[in-house]
Amino acid sequence: MADQVQNTTAADVPVQQVDQDQLVVAAVTTPTTDVVVPPQPDHEDQKQQLDQEAPLKELINIPSSTDHDDAEKKNIIPEDNLSSSFKEETTRVADLSDNEKKALEELTQLVREALNKHEFSATSLSPPKEEQQQKPPSVAVISEEKQETEEKCDSVVTDTTTTTAAAVVEDDGAKTVEAIEETIVAISAAAKEEKEDAEKLLKLEADEKVSIWGIPLLVDERSDVILLKFLRARDFKVKESFSMLKNTIKWRKEFGIEELVDEDFGDDLKKVVFMHGFDKHGHPVCYNVYGEFQNKEVYQNAFSDEAKRERFLRWRIQFLERSIRKLDFTPGGISTIVQVNDLKNSPGLGKWELRQATKHALQLLQDNYPEFVAKQVFINVPWWYLAVNRMISPFLTQRTRSKFVFAGPSKSAETLFRYIAAEQVPVKYGGLSKDGEIFEATDAVTEITVKPAAKHTVEFPVTEACHLSWEVRVVGWDVKYGAEFVPSGEESYTVIIQKARKVGSSEEGVVCDSFKIGEAGKVVLTIENPTSKKKKLFYRFKTKPNSSACQTLCC
């Protein structure tokens, strides 16, 4: 996925230069482009952890546990590499530089000529039986040779008849008329078969339409967006971009992508890789959860033998293909994806099968899915990942590095919120997005910072009888939470909805509550932060008329 970098897993991260974007779309054998190294899990057993880290340490010289302590003290783990400075490149031709426009025009011309000559079709066809090592002829060559074949056939038949007849005379009947007829029929049949093959090839090439990711080449302006991806993947080097495009089209036909899209692989891997919500710029977000492979059954079903690894690869590519086809390839549209890679409890590089599957997938993805990642966000990053980051950095351009963001466990939620609104982030990652609730992703969330050792109140004013529902979440919690209804009337009494209680740091969910209001007033929420650290508070609310059939919310 142009900046080419090697994709992913450190010990088997192909250290060729690969496009970083592709590395990302590959996480967990995810398609994208940069070296994503499947991390080692956090284990209670220190010895087991060291054993699992051994392969990686040998490979990249990871610091010892002492170095780890020093690193933590200095806080040198790249929680965020300030990649927010990266601005996604335009897909509008009018906004390109002169050199970029020229490169696009040249690539378009090469593609047009290739389409006219049916070069894309020819590269995907099997060579003739008698010439397995040669590429099939182009339409032009077939057209020129078609008549020549027929003439040769007639000539061969005539010559054979004359020669054979002479032989019959000379050999005084040594060859019978039946033998002559059999020879003529065999030669004629071979010529006829060759003629039919040529006609079939011509028809196949004439009828075939060349498209990629559902976008026909050079049919409309969306084709420019596709070509720009290949140009950026090869630093606007036209010939290299054209070669990459041809190879990609050939691979897609050989791999059977169009048929693959409709295959049924079941849903046993739905927790490993899934799409959920959008970032603040409208990019779809793909989550890659390495920790799911700690489940032995899931791991065995995906990687235990060659057939299962091939199936996993096909499933991963199918997932990517289906995701890409939902993108908007019109100029100025959203044609890239944000990748969130959760490294918590990942199996580590000691898993040979995972490394092999990842290596194979990345090789395909880096070559055939250019420029599909807008941002690569790594969360729950282990301390030793810093060493991996140092190892791969020399292979990345500044443009590629700007797309990568790293965050340790304590900063993961905060980092996600920089790029994705809280209402779009799954509950398990600190957000408020969940299924089956009254609130939807379109219901905006308000964000507040609660200062250390301070108390903050949130008010929901109401002017008429209604049913008020709200959701509250504090990142990291470890605060006191309470709620009450304060009526506007002087003769009315304050109602305690939720007595102040401590919500521990282990709390991972969202506090959901509701109150049936019969008069004007306000609901007041109180958040008290007794810690020495500032806290991120998120909340939203919604009202319904009392006449509606409402149910009390609970989470």
Side-chain angles (χ1 to χ4, degrees):
M1 296 183 146
D3 298 330
Q4 282 333 92
V5 190
Q6 214 165 354
N7 292 13
T8 189
T9 353
D12 255 271
V13 169
V15 179
Q16 325 164 328
Q17 270 209 322
V18 178
D19 182 13
Q20 180 126 12
D21 290 349
Q22 291 172 317
L23 217 160
V24 183
V25 187
V28 191
T29 59
T30 284
T32 346
T33 12
D34 267 303
V35 190
V36 175
V37 180
Q40 311 242 4
D42 299 329
H43 291 288
E44 296 180 1
D45 187 336
Q46 184 66 20
K47 182 179 183 300
Q48 182 180 1
Q49 180 179 8
L50 292 176
D51 290 342
Q52 290 189 342
E53 291 176 355
L56 183 60
K57 290 182 178 180
E58 292 176 3
L59 176 71
I60 57 178
N61 229 354
I62 288 183
S64 65
S65 57
T66 303
D67 297 328
H68 168 209
D69 296 337
D70 293 339
E72 283 194 327
K73 292 178 181 178
K74 296 178 181 179
N75 192 27
I76 60 176
I77 293 181
E79 303 286 359
D80 183 359
N81 64 352
L82 301 179
S83 61
S84 57
S85 61
F86 168 73
K87 183 178 180 181
E88 191 170 3
E89 294 92 344
T90 181
T91 55
R92 301 179 188 275
V93 176
D95 297 334
L96 299 175
S97 67
D98 291 340
N99 289 336
E100 292 172 342
K101 288 180 181 178
K102 182 179 178 181
L104 178 59
E105 291 173 358
E106 292 177 0
L107 179 56
T108 300
Q109 183 59 32
L110 288 177
V111 173
R112 182 174 290 109
E113 292 174 357
L115 288 172
N116 292 337
K117 296 177 181 179
H118 303 278
E119 291 181 7
F120 293 118
S121 300
T123 58
S124 66
L125 296 173
S126 300
K129 295 179 181 178
E130 62 276 6
E131 298 179 4
Q132 288 293 333
Q133 302 304 319
Q134 299 181 12
K135 293 183 179 179
S138 66
V139 175
V141 174
I142 294 175
S143 299
E144 293 175 0
E145 294 181 352
K146 180 179 178 182
Q147 184 174 0
E148 181 181 346
T149 300
E150 296 176 353
E151 293 175 354
K152 285 183 178 181
C153 178
D154 294 338
S155 175
V156 170
V157 172
T158 302
D159 293 344
T160 303
T161 303
T162 302
T163 303
T164 307
V168 172
V169 174
E170 287 182 13
D171 298 341
D172 191 25
K175 292 186 178 181
T176 65
V177 174
E178 292 181 358
I180 296 174
E181 291 177 346
E182 289 177 359
T183 303
I184 294 174
V185 170
I187 296 175
S188 299
K192 182 179 180 181
E193 183 179 352
E194 183 177 352
K195 177 181 177 181
E196 290 176 349
D197 288 343
E199 291 176 346
K200 186 182 296 184
L201 182 61
L202 283 168
K203 185 178 186 303
L204 179 61
E205 290 182 337
D207 293 344
E208 181 143 15
K209 295 180 180 179
V210 179
S211 63
I212 183 169
W213 302 306
I215 309 299
L217 290 180
L218 304 191
V219 171
D220 54 40
E221 60 185 359
R222 294 177 300 169
S223 184
D224 290 338
V225 178
I226 296 294
L227 298 185
L228 280 172
K229 288 182 179 294
F230 285 90
L231 283 169
R232 289 191 168 113
R234 292 295 181 264
D235 295 325
F236 282 87
K237 296 176 182 177
V238 178
K239 291 184 178 180
E240 293 182 14
S241 301
F242 180 63
S243 177
M244 182 183 185
L245 175 62
K246 288 184 67 176
N247 290 335
T248 294
I249 293 174
K250 178 181 178 181
W251 170 79
R252 291 175 66 82
K253 292 182 178 180
E254 293 175 346
F255 202 81
I257 292 296
E258 297 305 318
E259 295 76 19
L260 174 64
V261 171
D262 298 322
E263 285 189 36
D264 182 8
F265 291 100
D267 59 359
D268 52 321
L269 293 172
K270 64 181 181 180
K271 292 183 179 180
V272 175
V273 181
F274 59 90
M275 304 296 294
H276 189 103
F278 302 85
D279 77 344
K280 293 180 179 180
H281 297 288
H283 299 97
V285 181
C286 178
Y287 290 82
N288 303 283
V289 188
Y290 288 88
E292 289 296 326
F293 288 124
Q294 287 291 0
N295 183 311
K296 293 183 178 180
E297 182 178 354
V298 172
Y299 188 89
Q300 290 295 321
N301 289 339
F303 306 117
S304 60
D305 57 47
E306 186 63 32
K308 290 180 179 178
R309 289 193 289 274
E310 179 65 21
R311 179 180 179 275
F312 177 83
L313 174 64
R314 292 180 64 80
W315 168 81
R316 191 60 187 85
I317 291 178
Q318 180 199 68
F319 184 92
L320 178 61
E321 279 288 328
R322 289 179 174 180
S323 301
I324 287 176
R325 293 179 188 225
K326 295 178 183 178
L327 298 175
D328 179 8
F329 284 96
T330 58
I334 300 297
S335 61
T336 53
I337 297 171
V338 168
Q339 290 274 344
V340 175
N341 305 294
D342 181 6
L343 305 186
K344 183 178 181 180
N345 295 329
S346 58
L349 297 175
K351 297 289 188 179
W352 177 87
E353 300 88 354
L354 177 58
R355 293 208 321 269
Q356 289 299 107
T358 302
K359 180 179 180 180
H360 188 191
L362 289 177
Q363 186 64 52
L364 293 179
L365 296 169
Q366 71 186 24
D367 292 339
N368 300 294
Y369 292 89
E371 297 295 316
F372 275 107
V373 175
K375 186 78 67 178
Q376 278 276 28
V377 183
F378 293 84
I379 59 175
N380 295 313
V381 178
W383 64 268
W384 55 264
Y385 202 86
L386 175 61
V388 176
N389 184 53
R390 287 174 174 172
M391 181 191 74
I392 67 175
S393 290
F395 298 95
L396 309 180
T397 65
Q398 178 59 39
R399 174 179 176 276
T400 294
R401 286 195 296 270
S402 70
K403 294 184 180 183
F404 278 63
V405 179
F406 299 89
S410 65
K411 297 291 185 180
S412 292
E414 180 182 333
T415 300
L416 286 178
F417 295 143
R418 294 179 186 177
Y419 307 101
I420 309 170
E423 60 267 27
Q424 296 284 346
V425 176
V427 170
K428 67 178 294 185
Y429 293 121
L432 280 75
S433 180
K434 55 189 178 299
D435 297 327
E437 299 295 336
I438 191 172
F439 291 96
E440 301 175 355
T442 53
D443 296 324
V445 172
T446 300
E447 176 182 339
I448 297 292
T449 298
V450 182
K451 296 180 180 179
K455 181 184 295 185
H456 187 86
T457 59
V458 176
E459 297 183 356
F460 303 142
V462 291
T463 58
E464 58 184 1
C466 65
H467 191 97
L468 179 69
S469 303
W470 63 90
E471 290 184 332
V472 179
R473 178 159 201 169
V474 176
V475 178
W477 286 104
D478 200 16
V479 300
K480 285 186 177 181
Y481 161 77
E484 61 184 13
F485 173 68
V486 181
S488 299
E490 294 182 359
E491 297 181 358
S492 300
Y493 295 93
T494 296
V495 179
I496 302 298
I497 301 173
Q498 171 62 62
K499 185 177 180 179
R501 67 182 180 90
K502 183 176 181 179
V503 184
S505 57
S506 61
E507 178 69 47
E508 295 182 354
V510 178
V511 170
C512 305
D513 217 334
S514 64
F515 185 69
K516 189 174 182 179
I517 300 173
E519 59 181 310
K522 60 183 178 181
V523 171
V524 180
L525 309 183
T526 302
I527 306 295
E528 183 178 352
N529 177 16
T531 71
S532 59
K533 297 180 179 179
K534 62 182 180 180
K535 300 284 184 176
K536 285 287 185 182
L537 163 66
F538 297 96
Y539 67 86
R540 58 182 169 180
F541 70 97
K542 179 178 288 189
T543 61
K544 287 186 178 181
N546 270 339
S547 58
S548 299
C550 299
Q551 294 182 346
T552 301
L553 295 177
C554 62
C555 298

